[in-house]
Amino acid sequence: MKVVVDEEKCVAAGQCVAAAADVFDQREDDGIVVLLNENPPADSADDVRNAAAVCPALAIRIEE
């Protein structure tokens, strides 16, 4: 699994961080997503897929 984020689409809602805090964070100044691990471990896969699903801006893409 590879995670790709589009910072241009991000609306700083923070849903990704709530779903998978070990993979996503937010910039302090504007809340835009920060990808902490583009190749998360298999045990995080469900949380990462959930983060992509709940992103209101569809800024997270998963490549299998």
Side-chain angles (χ1 to χ4, degrees), residues 2-37:
K2 180 179 178 183
V3 182
V4 179
V5 297
D6 185 341
E7 292 181 8
E8 297 293 318
K9 286 184 177 180
C10 181
V11 296
Q15 298 300 313
C16 57
V17 178
D22 57 331
V23 178
F24 303 99
D25 199 356
Q26 290 177 280
R27 294 192 305 223
E28 187 134 337
D29 59 332
D30 59 6
I32 298 299
V33 65
V34 174
L35 183 60
L36 301 175
N37 186 351

PDB file of all heavy atoms in Angstrom, residues 2-37:
ATOM      1  N   LYS A   2       0.541   2.154  -0.904  1.00  0.00           N
ATOM      2  CA  LYS A   2       1.210   3.460  -0.931  1.00  0.00           C
ATOM      3  C   LYS A   2       0.125   4.524  -0.796  1.00  0.00           C
ATOM      4  O   LYS A   2      -0.906   4.460  -1.454  1.00  0.00           O
ATOM      5  CB  LYS A   2       1.972   3.655  -2.231  1.00  0.00           C
ATOM      6  CG  LYS A   2       2.674   5.000  -2.280  1.00  0.00           C
ATOM      7  CD  LYS A   2       3.460   5.188  -3.549  1.00  0.00           C
ATOM      8  CE  LYS A   2       4.077   6.581  -3.540  1.00  0.00           C
ATOM      9  NZ  LYS A   2       4.801   6.857  -4.775  1.00  0.00           N
ATOM     10  N   VAL A   3       0.376   5.506   0.060  1.00  0.00           N
ATOM     11  CA  VAL A   3      -0.568   6.589   0.301  1.00  0.00           C
ATOM     12  C   VAL A   3      -0.055   7.849  -0.380  1.00  0.00           C
ATOM     13  O   VAL A   3       1.124   8.199  -0.260  1.00  0.00           O
ATOM     14  CB  VAL A   3      -0.737   6.844   1.817  1.00  0.00           C
ATOM     15  CG1 VAL A   3      -1.750   7.943   2.059  1.00  0.00           C
ATOM     16  CG2 VAL A   3      -1.134   5.575   2.540  1.00  0.00           C
ATOM     17  N   VAL A   4      -0.946   8.526  -1.094  1.00  0.00           N
ATOM     18  CA  VAL A   4      -0.611   9.779  -1.763  1.00  0.00           C
ATOM     19  C   VAL A   4      -1.620  10.824  -1.310  1.00  0.00           C
ATOM     20  O   VAL A   4      -2.822  10.553  -1.285  1.00  0.00           O
ATOM     21  CB  VAL A   4      -0.680   9.616  -3.304  1.00  0.00           C
ATOM     22  CG1 VAL A   4      -0.346  10.922  -3.998  1.00  0.00           C
ATOM     23  CG2 VAL A   4       0.239   8.495  -3.767  1.00  0.00           C
ATOM     24  N   VAL A   5      -1.136  12.004  -0.936  1.00  0.00           N
ATOM     25  CA  VAL A   5      -2.042  13.084  -0.550  1.00  0.00           C
ATOM     26  C   VAL A   5      -1.870  14.260  -1.495  1.00  0.00           C
ATOM     27  O   VAL A   5      -0.791  14.521  -1.994  1.00  0.00           O
ATOM     28  CB  VAL A   5      -1.837  13.545   0.909  1.00  0.00           C
ATOM     29  CG1 VAL A   5      -2.136  12.429   1.876  1.00  0.00           C
ATOM     30  CG2 VAL A   5      -0.454  14.078   1.146  1.00  0.00           C
ATOM     31  N   ASP A   6      -2.971  14.942  -1.737  1.00  0.00           N
ATOM     32  CA  ASP A   6      -2.968  16.135  -2.568  1.00  0.00           C
ATOM     33  C   ASP A   6      -3.210  17.334  -1.646  1.00  0.00           C
ATOM     34  O   ASP A   6      -4.343  17.616  -1.263  1.00  0.00           O
ATOM     35  CB  ASP A   6      -4.063  16.045  -3.627  1.00  0.00           C
ATOM     36  CG  ASP A   6      -4.039  17.208  -4.601  1.00  0.00           C
ATOM     37  OD1 ASP A   6      -3.441  18.260  -4.285  1.00  0.00           O
ATOM     38  OD2 ASP A   6      -4.625  17.076  -5.689  1.00  0.00           O
ATOM     39  N   GLU A   7      -2.134  18.007  -1.268  1.00  0.00           N
ATOM     40  CA  GLU A   7      -2.233  19.140  -0.351  1.00  0.00           C
ATOM     41  C   GLU A   7      -3.092  20.264  -0.918  1.00  0.00           C
ATOM     42  O   GLU A   7      -3.709  21.010  -0.167  1.00  0.00           O
ATOM     43  CB  GLU A   7      -0.848  19.666   0.000  1.00  0.00           C
ATOM     44  CG  GLU A   7      -0.026  18.707   0.831  1.00  0.00           C
ATOM     45  CD  GLU A   7       1.340  19.250   1.186  1.00  0.00           C
ATOM     46  OE1 GLU A   7       1.616  20.434   0.914  1.00  0.00           O
ATOM     47  OE2 GLU A   7       2.145  18.478   1.737  1.00  0.00           O
ATOM     48  N   GLU A   8      -3.149  20.373  -2.213  1.00  0.00           N
ATOM     49  CA  GLU A   8      -3.951  21.418  -2.851  1.00  0.00           C
ATOM     50  C   GLU A   8      -5.452  21.205  -2.617  1.00  0.00           C
ATOM     51  O   GLU A   8      -6.207  22.163  -2.541  1.00  0.00           O
ATOM     52  CB  GLU A   8      -3.665  21.479  -4.354  1.00  0.00           C
ATOM     53  CG  GLU A   8      -2.240  21.843  -4.697  1.00  0.00           C
ATOM     54  CD  GLU A   8      -1.887  23.263  -4.301  1.00  0.00           C
ATOM     55  OE1 GLU A   8      -2.713  24.176  -4.512  1.00  0.00           O
ATOM     56  OE2 GLU A   8      -0.776  23.461  -3.765  1.00  0.00           O
ATOM     57  N   LYS A   9      -5.869  19.948  -2.518  1.00  0.00           N
ATOM     58  CA  LYS A   9      -7.278  19.636  -2.295  1.00  0.00           C
ATOM     59  C   LYS A   9      -7.673  19.702  -0.820  1.00  0.00           C
ATOM     60  O   LYS A   9      -8.834  19.885  -0.488  1.00  0.00           O
ATOM     61  CB  LYS A   9      -7.600  18.220  -2.789  1.00  0.00           C
ATOM     62  CG  LYS A   9      -7.675  18.070  -4.275  1.00  0.00           C
ATOM     63  CD  LYS A   9      -8.090  16.649  -4.598  1.00  0.00           C
ATOM     64  CE  LYS A   9      -8.263  16.410  -6.071  1.00  0.00           C
ATOM     65  NZ  LYS A   9      -8.661  15.011  -6.337  1.00  0.00           N
ATOM     66  N   CYS A  10      -6.707  19.516   0.072  1.00  0.00           N
ATOM     67  CA  CYS A  10      -6.974  19.401   1.507  1.00  0.00           C
ATOM     68  C   CYS A  10      -7.671  20.647   2.040  1.00  0.00           C
ATOM     69  O   CYS A  10      -7.287  21.777   1.742  1.00  0.00           O
ATOM     70  CB  CYS A  10      -5.659  19.178   2.259  1.00  0.00           C
ATOM     71  SG  CYS A  10      -5.860  19.005   4.039  1.00  0.00           S
ATOM     72  N   VAL A  11      -8.728  20.410   2.844  1.00  0.00           N
ATOM     73  CA  VAL A  11      -9.478  21.506   3.465  1.00  0.00           C
ATOM     74  C   VAL A  11      -9.254  21.563   4.978  1.00  0.00           C
ATOM     75  O   VAL A  11      -9.975  22.271   5.686  1.00  0.00           O
ATOM     76  CB  VAL A  11     -10.990  21.415   3.148  1.00  0.00           C
ATOM     77  CG1 VAL A  11     -11.241  21.583   1.663  1.00  0.00           C
ATOM     78  CG2 VAL A  11     -11.578  20.113   3.660  1.00  0.00           C
ATOM     79  N   ALA A  12      -8.272  20.830   5.475  1.00  0.00           N
ATOM     80  CA  ALA A  12      -7.847  20.872   6.876  1.00  0.00           C
ATOM     81  C   ALA A  12      -8.937  20.444   7.853  1.00  0.00           C
ATOM     82  O   ALA A  12      -9.033  20.960   8.955  1.00  0.00           O
ATOM     83  CB  ALA A  12      -7.315  22.259   7.230  1.00  0.00           C
ATOM     84  N   ALA A  13      -9.752  19.473   7.462  1.00  0.00           N
ATOM     85  CA  ALA A  13     -10.826  19.001   8.337  1.00  0.00           C
ATOM     86  C   ALA A  13     -10.300  18.116   9.474  1.00  0.00           C
ATOM     87  O   ALA A  13     -10.936  18.008  10.508  1.00  0.00           O
ATOM     88  CB  ALA A  13     -11.867  18.238   7.525  1.00  0.00           C
ATOM     89  N   GLY A  14      -9.180  17.458   9.265  1.00  0.00           N
ATOM     90  CA  GLY A  14      -8.575  16.640  10.303  1.00  0.00           C
ATOM     91  C   GLY A  14      -9.145  15.241  10.444  1.00  0.00           C
ATOM     92  O   GLY A  14      -8.768  14.516  11.362  1.00  0.00           O
ATOM     93  N   GLN A  15     -10.029  14.848   9.568  1.00  0.00           N
ATOM     94  CA  GLN A  15     -10.618  13.508   9.651  1.00  0.00           C
ATOM     95  C   GLN A  15      -9.568  12.419   9.464  1.00  0.00           C
ATOM     96  O   GLN A  15      -9.660  11.356  10.088  1.00  0.00           O
ATOM     97  CB  GLN A  15     -11.735  13.353   8.615  1.00  0.00           C
ATOM     98  CG  GLN A  15     -12.893  14.294   8.805  1.00  0.00           C
ATOM     99  CD  GLN A  15     -13.562  14.108  10.155  1.00  0.00           C
ATOM    100  OE1 GLN A  15     -13.847  12.999  10.571  1.00  0.00           O
ATOM    101  NE2 GLN A  15     -13.789  15.203  10.847  1.00  0.00           N
ATOM    102  N   CYS A  16      -8.569  12.675   8.643  1.00  0.00           N
ATOM    103  CA  CYS A  16      -7.519  11.681   8.411  1.00  0.00           C
ATOM    104  C   CYS A  16      -6.714  11.429   9.680  1.00  0.00           C
ATOM    105  O   CYS A  16      -6.392  10.288   9.997  1.00  0.00           O
ATOM    106  CB  CYS A  16      -6.616  12.108   7.265  1.00  0.00           C
ATOM    107  SG  CYS A  16      -5.829  13.722   7.490  1.00  0.00           S
ATOM    108  N   VAL A  17      -6.426  12.483  10.410  1.00  0.00           N
ATOM    109  CA  VAL A  17      -5.665  12.347  11.654  1.00  0.00           C
ATOM    110  C   VAL A  17      -6.478  11.574  12.683  1.00  0.00           C
ATOM    111  O   VAL A  17      -5.958  10.715  13.391  1.00  0.00           O
ATOM    112  CB  VAL A  17      -5.251  13.728  12.200  1.00  0.00           C
ATOM    113  CG1 VAL A  17      -4.506  13.584  13.515  1.00  0.00           C
ATOM    114  CG2 VAL A  17      -4.402  14.483  11.188  1.00  0.00           C
ATOM    115  N   ALA A  18      -7.765  11.850  12.751  1.00  0.00           N
ATOM    116  CA  ALA A  18      -8.632  11.129  13.682  1.00  0.00           C
ATOM    117  C   ALA A  18      -8.701   9.643  13.345  1.00  0.00           C
ATOM    118  O   ALA A  18      -8.777   8.804  14.232  1.00  0.00           O
ATOM    119  CB  ALA A  18     -10.032  11.734  13.668  1.00  0.00           C
ATOM    120  N   ALA A  19      -8.637   9.325  12.064  1.00  0.00           N
ATOM    121  CA  ALA A  19      -8.747   7.928  11.620  1.00  0.00           C
ATOM    122  C   ALA A  19      -7.424   7.171  11.699  1.00  0.00           C
ATOM    123  O   ALA A  19      -7.414   5.971  11.979  1.00  0.00           O
ATOM    124  CB  ALA A  19      -9.286   7.879  10.193  1.00  0.00           C
ATOM    125  N   ALA A  20      -6.312   7.853  11.420  1.00  0.00           N
ATOM    126  CA  ALA A  20      -5.010   7.174  11.353  1.00  0.00           C
ATOM    127  C   ALA A  20      -3.892   8.133  11.755  1.00  0.00           C
ATOM    128  O   ALA A  20      -3.121   8.603  10.917  1.00  0.00           O
ATOM    129  CB  ALA A  20      -4.774   6.627   9.951  1.00  0.00           C
ATOM    130  N   ALA A  21      -3.793   8.416  13.038  1.00  0.00           N
ATOM    131  CA  ALA A  21      -2.828   9.397  13.548  1.00  0.00           C
ATOM    132  C   ALA A  21      -1.375   8.968  13.360  1.00  0.00           C
ATOM    133  O   ALA A  21      -0.479   9.806  13.372  1.00  0.00           O
ATOM    134  CB  ALA A  21      -3.096   9.682  15.017  1.00  0.00           C
ATOM    135  N   ASP A  22      -1.137   7.683  13.151  1.00  0.00           N
ATOM    136  CA  ASP A  22       0.232   7.221  12.921  1.00  0.00           C
ATOM    137  C   ASP A  22       0.680   7.432  11.474  1.00  0.00           C
ATOM    138  O   ASP A  22       1.858   7.319  11.168  1.00  0.00           O
ATOM    139  CB  ASP A  22       0.376   5.759  13.320  1.00  0.00           C
ATOM    140  CG  ASP A  22      -0.596   4.835  12.604  1.00  0.00           C
ATOM    141  OD1 ASP A  22      -1.696   5.296  12.239  1.00  0.00           O
ATOM    142  OD2 ASP A  22      -0.257   3.650  12.406  1.00  0.00           O
ATOM    143  N   VAL A  23      -0.261   7.773  10.597  1.00  0.00           N
ATOM    144  CA  VAL A  23       0.057   7.959   9.179  1.00  0.00           C
ATOM    145  C   VAL A  23      -0.114   9.419   8.747  1.00  0.00           C
ATOM    146  O   VAL A  23       0.607   9.899   7.880  1.00  0.00           O
ATOM    147  CB  VAL A  23      -0.820   7.033   8.304  1.00  0.00           C
ATOM    148  CG1 VAL A  23      -0.537   7.239   6.823  1.00  0.00           C
ATOM    149  CG2 VAL A  23      -0.599   5.581   8.688  1.00  0.00           C
ATOM    150  N   PHE A  24      -1.043  10.127   9.378  1.00  0.00           N
ATOM    151  CA  PHE A  24      -1.338  11.502   8.994  1.00  0.00           C
ATOM    152  C   PHE A  24      -1.188  12.461  10.174  1.00  0.00           C
ATOM    153  O   PHE A  24      -1.455  12.105  11.310  1.00  0.00           O
ATOM    154  CB  PHE A  24      -2.780  11.623   8.475  1.00  0.00           C
ATOM    155  CG  PHE A  24      -3.087  10.720   7.323  1.00  0.00           C
ATOM    156  CD1 PHE A  24      -3.755   9.524   7.522  1.00  0.00           C
ATOM    157  CD2 PHE A  24      -2.712  11.049   6.031  1.00  0.00           C
ATOM    158  CE1 PHE A  24      -4.045   8.679   6.470  1.00  0.00           C
ATOM    159  CE2 PHE A  24      -2.987  10.205   4.969  1.00  0.00           C
ATOM    160  CZ  PHE A  24      -3.659   9.016   5.189  1.00  0.00           C
ATOM    161  N   ASP A  25      -0.801  13.683   9.853  1.00  0.00           N
ATOM    162  CA  ASP A  25      -0.765  14.772  10.828  1.00  0.00           C
ATOM    163  C   ASP A  25      -1.218  16.019  10.088  1.00  0.00           C
ATOM    164  O   ASP A  25      -1.544  15.951   8.894  1.00  0.00           O
ATOM    165  CB  ASP A  25       0.641  14.940  11.397  1.00  0.00           C
ATOM    166  CG  ASP A  25       0.650  15.703  12.719  1.00  0.00           C
ATOM    167  OD1 ASP A  25      -0.418  16.174  13.171  1.00  0.00           O
ATOM    168  OD2 ASP A  25       1.741  15.837  13.305  1.00  0.00           O
ATOM    169  N   GLN A  26      -1.247  17.140  10.786  1.00  0.00           N
ATOM    170  CA  GLN A  26      -1.632  18.406  10.163  1.00  0.00           C
ATOM    171  C   GLN A  26      -0.582  19.453  10.458  1.00  0.00           C
ATOM    172  O   GLN A  26      -0.023  19.479  11.573  1.00  0.00           O
ATOM    173  CB  GLN A  26      -2.980  18.888  10.705  1.00  0.00           C
ATOM    174  CG  GLN A  26      -4.146  18.045  10.265  1.00  0.00           C
ATOM    175  CD  GLN A  26      -5.438  18.521  10.882  1.00  0.00           C
ATOM    176  OE1 GLN A  26      -5.711  18.212  12.024  1.00  0.00           O
ATOM    177  NE2 GLN A  26      -6.212  19.287  10.133  1.00  0.00           N
ATOM    178  N   ARG A  27      -0.339  20.335   9.475  1.00  0.00           N
ATOM    179  CA  ARG A  27       0.578  21.449   9.693  1.00  0.00           C
ATOM    180  C   ARG A  27      -0.003  22.366  10.757  1.00  0.00           C
ATOM    181  O   ARG A  27      -1.211  22.611  10.788  1.00  0.00           O
ATOM    182  CB  ARG A  27       0.807  22.237   8.409  1.00  0.00           C
ATOM    183  CG  ARG A  27       1.519  21.434   7.349  1.00  0.00           C
ATOM    184  CD  ARG A  27       2.006  22.264   6.191  1.00  0.00           C
ATOM    185  NE  ARG A  27       0.989  23.055   5.542  1.00  0.00           N
ATOM    186  CZ  ARG A  27       0.854  23.197   4.224  1.00  0.00           C
ATOM    187  NH1 ARG A  27       1.690  22.579   3.410  1.00  0.00           N
ATOM    188  NH2 ARG A  27      -0.089  23.945   3.724  1.00  0.00           N
ATOM    189  N   GLU A  28       0.852  22.862  11.603  1.00  0.00           N
ATOM    190  CA  GLU A  28       0.407  23.695  12.709  1.00  0.00           C
ATOM    191  C   GLU A  28      -0.188  25.024  12.242  1.00  0.00           C
ATOM    192  O   GLU A  28      -1.174  25.499  12.799  1.00  0.00           O
ATOM    193  CB  GLU A  28       1.579  23.968  13.657  1.00  0.00           C
ATOM    194  CG  GLU A  28       1.144  24.675  14.888  1.00  0.00           C
ATOM    195  CD  GLU A  28       1.732  24.079  16.135  1.00  0.00           C
ATOM    196  OE1 GLU A  28       2.115  22.909  16.150  1.00  0.00           O
ATOM    197  OE2 GLU A  28       1.790  24.819  17.106  1.00  0.00           O
ATOM    198  N   ASP A  29       0.384  25.611  11.210  1.00  0.00           N
ATOM    199  CA  ASP A  29      -0.042  26.955  10.799  1.00  0.00           C
ATOM    200  C   ASP A  29      -1.374  26.995  10.054  1.00  0.00           C
ATOM    201  O   ASP A  29      -2.144  27.937  10.217  1.00  0.00           O
ATOM    202  CB  ASP A  29       1.045  27.638   9.974  1.00  0.00           C
ATOM    203  CG  ASP A  29       1.423  26.875   8.714  1.00  0.00           C
ATOM    204  OD1 ASP A  29       1.283  25.641   8.688  1.00  0.00           O
ATOM    205  OD2 ASP A  29       1.870  27.522   7.749  1.00  0.00           O
ATOM    206  N   ASP A  30      -1.673  25.961   9.257  1.00  0.00           N
ATOM    207  CA  ASP A  30      -2.908  26.025   8.468  1.00  0.00           C
ATOM    208  C   ASP A  30      -3.734  24.738   8.480  1.00  0.00           C
ATOM    209  O   ASP A  30      -4.802  24.674   7.873  1.00  0.00           O
ATOM    210  CB  ASP A  30      -2.615  26.432   7.025  1.00  0.00           C
ATOM    211  CG  ASP A  30      -1.667  25.472   6.318  1.00  0.00           C
ATOM    212  OD1 ASP A  30      -1.308  24.426   6.894  1.00  0.00           O
ATOM    213  OD2 ASP A  30      -1.271  25.782   5.173  1.00  0.00           O
ATOM    214  N   GLY A  31      -3.268  23.703   9.152  1.00  0.00           N
ATOM    215  CA  GLY A  31      -4.036  22.473   9.280  1.00  0.00           C
ATOM    216  C   GLY A  31      -3.997  21.542   8.085  1.00  0.00           C
ATOM    217  O   GLY A  31      -4.660  20.501   8.094  1.00  0.00           O
ATOM    218  N   ILE A  32      -3.232  21.880   7.070  1.00  0.00           N
ATOM    219  CA  ILE A  32      -3.149  21.034   5.876  1.00  0.00           C
ATOM    220  C   ILE A  32      -2.475  19.701   6.234  1.00  0.00           C
ATOM    221  O   ILE A  32      -1.567  19.649   7.057  1.00  0.00           O
ATOM    222  CB  ILE A  32      -2.378  21.753   4.747  1.00  0.00           C
ATOM    223  CG1 ILE A  32      -3.106  23.026   4.320  1.00  0.00           C
ATOM    224  CG2 ILE A  32      -2.146  20.841   3.541  1.00  0.00           C
ATOM    225  CD1 ILE A  32      -4.501  22.814   3.767  1.00  0.00           C
ATOM    226  N   VAL A  33      -2.936  18.648   5.599  1.00  0.00           N
ATOM    227  CA  VAL A  33      -2.451  17.298   5.880  1.00  0.00           C
ATOM    228  C   VAL A  33      -0.940  17.179   5.681  1.00  0.00           C
ATOM    229  O   VAL A  33      -0.364  17.769   4.776  1.00  0.00           O
ATOM    230  CB  VAL A  33      -3.192  16.255   5.000  1.00  0.00           C
ATOM    231  CG1 VAL A  33      -2.897  16.453   3.527  1.00  0.00           C
ATOM    232  CG2 VAL A  33      -2.858  14.840   5.436  1.00  0.00           C
ATOM    233  N   VAL A  34      -0.337  16.387   6.570  1.00  0.00           N
ATOM    234  CA  VAL A  34       1.065  16.006   6.467  1.00  0.00           C
ATOM    235  C   VAL A  34       1.092  14.482   6.473  1.00  0.00           C
ATOM    236  O   VAL A  34       0.544  13.851   7.381  1.00  0.00           O
ATOM    237  CB  VAL A  34       1.885  16.540   7.656  1.00  0.00           C
ATOM    238  CG1 VAL A  34       3.307  16.009   7.620  1.00  0.00           C
ATOM    239  CG2 VAL A  34       1.865  18.054   7.691  1.00  0.00           C
ATOM    240  N   LEU A  35       1.694  13.909   5.463  1.00  0.00           N
ATOM    241  CA  LEU A  35       1.804  12.454   5.364  1.00  0.00           C
ATOM    242  C   LEU A  35       3.048  12.019   6.129  1.00  0.00           C
ATOM    243  O   LEU A  35       4.170  12.384   5.779  1.00  0.00           O
ATOM    244  CB  LEU A  35       1.884  12.035   3.898  1.00  0.00           C
ATOM    245  CG  LEU A  35       1.937  10.544   3.611  1.00  0.00           C
ATOM    246  CD1 LEU A  35       0.697   9.844   4.147  1.00  0.00           C
ATOM    247  CD2 LEU A  35       2.073  10.312   2.112  1.00  0.00           C
ATOM    248  N   LEU A  36       2.859  11.248   7.181  1.00  0.00           N
ATOM    249  CA  LEU A  36       3.966  10.791   8.014  1.00  0.00           C
ATOM    250  C   LEU A  36       4.610   9.525   7.483  1.00  0.00           C
ATOM    251  O   LEU A  36       5.790   9.278   7.714  1.00  0.00           O
ATOM    252  CB  LEU A  36       3.481  10.541   9.447  1.00  0.00           C
ATOM    253  CG  LEU A  36       2.869  11.730  10.176  1.00  0.00           C
ATOM    254  CD1 LEU A  36       2.325  11.288  11.526  1.00  0.00           C
ATOM    255  CD2 LEU A  36       3.884  12.846  10.329  1.00  0.00           C
ATOM    256  N   ASN A  37       3.828   8.700   6.792  1.00  0.00           N
ATOM    257  CA  ASN A  37       4.339   7.424   6.306  1.00  0.00           C
ATOM    258  C   ASN A  37       3.601   7.050   5.027  1.00  0.00           C
ATOM    259  O   ASN A  37       2.449   6.646   5.081  1.00  0.00           O
ATOM    260  CB  ASN A  37       4.151   6.342   7.375  1.00  0.00           C
ATOM    261  CG  ASN A  37       4.790   5.031   7.013  1.00  0.00           C
ATOM    262  OD1 ASN A  37       5.257   4.830   5.891  1.00  0.00           O
ATOM    263  ND2 ASN A  37       4.813   4.113   7.952  1.00  0.00           N
TER     264      ASN A  37
END
